[in-house]
DNA sequence: GCAACGTAGGTTAACGATAACCCATGGCGC
DNA sequence: GCGCCATGGGTTATCGTTAACCTACGTTGC
């Protein structure tokens, strides 16, 4: 078949489609936008032309002219660990379902390095240059408020897992409540010497969970033990297990499941079994936690839902132009085999 | 201070910057692109105007005019599990480092549903409409070749973890080699009755790993045992452990670490210990694997590097206009405590 | 009988940036 | 003295789409 588009040439435009369908480009635009009247006969001709030319509308031109891009930007600071991956999953699925496109800037950087702040700023500028309709900001780190504050006024934004005091345009799975639930479970079982294996100091969620732990102990009239700190990783939980003095505690409230996993491994190496010699409770309820040895009692955090809610809130923020109230998702205690009464 | 921009108004354009700096918009464009001559004095005036107006170039307009968007699209089919998250991490970090923007379409759908194919097509169309300079396609599923083939000619594309027979524009961590390494390790230890806990039938990587397993057994003159199949999840590994007949095998080559975790848990429930009663080797070497009970012998897959290489290849493909040869990253055996000689 | 409205579609201009082209000036080689 | 190139910068047209406005015809209500 000679003559069948040897090289597909450049992309077809609405004008090309219009020429083939014998209408104006504007009518093609109307066909795609649904605004305005297009007769069935014209509609059919346009559809044929679109198929023939393999036409796809140019979103750059559309955004430029209309001022809206139907794109949501995501700024993620920090590594893609279990929680982040779940949130991302929720974000993309909800965005896809509401036919929003997603532009993502993820940067995993050393927050101690002062250059990091400049990098975050650049990444955000990049998203804004792409004229996103709104931004989802995932910055679990403390002290980034001022960095973002001046920047985020020009575009609708929703903060995920952000600082606790932000009362608008933010959504989080309540980490304070998670700390409370886990620790209270240990107290209810009768434990009195409860250790907290905390996450990194500069992470909001780590501090919230620690705060929950402290409050429950205070309520129960118990003395908190010296804090042991990790970095969310199983490796750091393992290090912690090697460092603690056995006999000084009967239970551990871990900042997340992975540190609990490492801690369990470390104690096992030292000949100490769970829940015989100590109890431990995690936070996250990652799918693997049920299959740890022993099955881990933990606090479920629905991060995927967090992501979906973030998109919903952002869309509402974009459509209404008004700020949306803070949303706080409630975690849930999941009791398995790693917790038992002391002794 | 009256007069200090009451409402930031609309975004400033290069024409606005030019007006303030008393040059033409074209000179402002030259300043940003670095093409053409701009004197130091003019440069300084432009910089001042940019700062004053909080100007950010409009990438939509730039892409529309120049035909290049400096954006890479990522199409990810399937859930964001450990491997996907790592790849994503590699992709974003490399893209960020080379100042490419990233548009992502991830969809986790039921491949049995025929509507899924239409959804994938729509997602890809969405990326192409956004005029990305190139696409990274992550489709671990079999049978998507035809779907993508007609679509991916109009734009540079690199396939990640794709079908084994694609000899160009593709990068993968060799899953066949992973199957070989894990199984050979078990054979070398003296095991003769080796079970394969495979991943889902419709996943390329699952089949490659199974193939590696089969080849090693054939080489060693051993008979493969009936296949047990999971879905990559720890839960499915647990189910498998409950289903197998103990005594029929002395070692397990698991398709990934998470299924190995579930399998270990299931066997533990049945009173069978590792490596006393059986050996098991995984694939992935996720950071947690070292802290399983026992520490898991596994095959390391550097998925983050895979992501970085994918970006490098795609950039080369975009810049040169020529296809790039397939890249295959080599996995590495990591021996820990879950494997020992039989008996 | 005609105003008002629904239907169907065309024309023009503009979104913000850059490609292509043009015009100056000054210095240098020969 | 003249051609040529480096430097510094302006003008114009255009990328593909849509907002705003306009035309024209047919129906309906009163």
């Amino acid at each position: 078949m000679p003559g069948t588009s040897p090289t597909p040439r450049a992309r077809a435009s609405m004008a090309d489609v219009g020429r083939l369908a014998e209408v104006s480009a504007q009518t093609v635009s109307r066909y795609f936008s649904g605004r305005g009247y297009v007769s069935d006969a014209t509609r059919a001709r346009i559809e044929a032309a679109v198929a023939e030319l393999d036409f796809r509308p140019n979103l750059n031109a559309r955004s430029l002219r209309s001022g809206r891009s139907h794109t949501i930007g995501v700024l993620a600071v920090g590594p893609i660990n279990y929680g982040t991956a779940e949130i991302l999953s929720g974000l993309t699925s909800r965005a896809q379902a509401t036919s929003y496109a997603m532009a993502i800037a993820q940067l995993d950087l050393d927050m101690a390095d002062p250059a990091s702040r400049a990098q975050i700023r650049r990444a955000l500028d990049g998203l804004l240059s792409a004229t996103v309709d709104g931004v989802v900001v995932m910055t679990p780190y403390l002290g980034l408020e001022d960095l973002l504050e001046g920047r985020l006024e020009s575009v609708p934004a929703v903060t995920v897992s952000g600082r606790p005091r932000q009362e608008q345009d933010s959504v989080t799975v309540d980490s304070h409540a998670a700390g409370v639930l886990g620790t209270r479970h240990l107290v209810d079982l009768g434990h009195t010497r409860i250790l907290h294996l905390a996450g990194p100091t500069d992470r909001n969620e780590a501090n919230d969970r620690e705060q929950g732990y402290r409050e429950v102990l205070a309520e129960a009239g118990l003395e908190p033990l010296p804090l042991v700190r990790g970095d969310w990783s199983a490796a750091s939980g393992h290090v912690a297990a090697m460092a603690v003095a056995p006999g000084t505690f009967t239970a551990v409230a871990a900042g997340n499941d992975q540190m609990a996993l490492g801690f369990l491994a470390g104690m096992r190496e030292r000949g100490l079994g769970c829940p015989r010699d100590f109890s431990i409770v995690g936070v996250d309820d990652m799918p693997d936690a049920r299959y740890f040895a022993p099955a881990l009692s933990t606090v479920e955090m629905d991060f995927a839902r967090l992501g979906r809610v973030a998109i919903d809130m952002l869309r509402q923020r974009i459509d209404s132009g008004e700020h949306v109230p803070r949303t706080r998702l409630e975690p849930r205690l999941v009791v398995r085999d790693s917790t038992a009464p002391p002794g």
Side-chain angles (χ1 to χ4, degrees), chain A:
Chain A
M1 274 223 296
T4 43
S5 57
T7 353
R9 312 213 165 278
R11 283 249 68 79
S13 72
M14 285 192 178
D16 298 328
V17 173
R19 249 185 306 277
L20 196 58
E22 298 180 294
V23 291
S24 71
Q26 179 60 36
T27 300
V28 180
S29 171
R30 267 192 276 261
Y31 164 80
F32 276 100
S33 72
R35 277 185 290 274
Y37 302 99
V38 181
S39 73
D40 288 347
T42 305
R43 189 172 294 274
R45 288 208 313 282
I46 291 176
E47 271 158 15
V50 164
E52 158 117 21
L53 298 174
D54 190 27
F55 170 77
R56 273 182 289 274
N58 183 318
L59 298 188
N60 286 132
R62 180 173 291 177
S63 303
L64 177 60
R65 178 65 243 236
S66 70
R68 272 151 288 123
S69 63
H70 223 69
T71 297
I72 287 175
V74 175
L75 177 67
V77 179
I80 305 188
N81 47 28
Y82 166 71
T84 311
E86 284 293 297
I87 295 173
L88 234 39
S89 187
L91 291 173
T92 54
S93 75
R94 195 60 138 217
Q96 201 82 38
T98 55
S99 66
Y100 264 83
M102 232 177 73
I104 183 168
Q106 183 246 342
L107 39 186
D108 182 10
L109 27 79
D110 178 11
M111 293 310 290
D113 184 352
S116 295
R117 305 177 66 83
Q119 273 190 263
I120 295 174
R121 199 183 288 267
R122 258 205 309 282
L124 185 54
D125 279 352
L127 290 177
L128 296 184
S129 280
T131 65
V132 294
D133 289 348
V135 180
V136 173
V137 181
M138 299 167 60
T139 59
Y141 296 89
L142 289 179
L144 293 181
E145 293 81 3
D146 52 328
L147 212 178
L148 300 171
E149 217 136 70
R151 228 57 174 188
L152 287 183
E153 273 144 27
S154 55
V155 66
V158 163
T159 307
V160 166
S161 301
R163 61 212 141 121
R165 276 173 304 287
Q166 184 181 349
E167 285 306 323
Q168 282 185 326
D169 304 330
S170 115
V171 53
T172 176
V173 183
D174 194 336
S175 265
H176 175 266
V180 167
L181 283 174
T183 311
R184 183 127 65 205
H185 172 52
L186 296 173
V187 169
D188 287 348
L189 285 170
H191 291 278
T192 53
R193 285 173 301 161
I194 304 174
L195 201 67
H196 183 46
L197 175 47
T201 337
D202 62 351
R203 232 65 115 257
N204 291 305
E205 306 198 318
N207 296 318
D208 290 350
R209 292 175 195 179
E210 177 188 338
Q211 190 58 30
Y213 157 81
R214 288 191 188 284
E215 282 183 23
V216 170
L217 288 204
E219 259 174 42
L222 298 174
E223 204 62 40
L225 299 181
L227 214 66
V228 185
R229 206 173 279 281
D231 65 2
W232 295 140
S233 74
S236 72
H238 183 260
V239 168
M242 302 319 251
V244 295
T248 61
F249 66 94
T250 63
V252 180
N256 73 350
D257 290 352
Q258 286 177 294
M259 291 196 295
L261 175 67
F263 194 90
L264 281 168
M267 294 302 275
R268 193 163 43 241
E269 286 172 33
R270 299 179 67 176
L272 295 165
C274 171
R276 191 172 46 97
D277 301 314
F278 69 99
S279 288
I280 188 166
V281 60
V283 172
D284 277 353
D285 192 24
M286 48 195 293
D288 291 357
R290 181 189 298 268
Y291 304 99
F292 290 176
L296 189 70
S297 295
T298 185
V299 180
E300 183 197 78
M301 311 286 275
D302 194 343
F303 287 122
R305 187 152 110 84
L306 180 62
R308 293 193 301 272
V309 170
I311 295 291
D312 291 342
M313 288 175 64
L314 184 54
R315 296 213 309 134
Q316 196 189 325
R317 171 81 179 76
I318 292 170
D319 294 343
S320 73
E322 287 162 30
H323 291 279
V324 290
R326 175 189 186 79
T327 304
R328 206 190 303 264
L329 302 182
E330 286 310 315
R332 193 173 62 88
L333 179 69
V334 179
V335 178
R336 299 204 182 96
D337 307 334
S338 68
T339 46

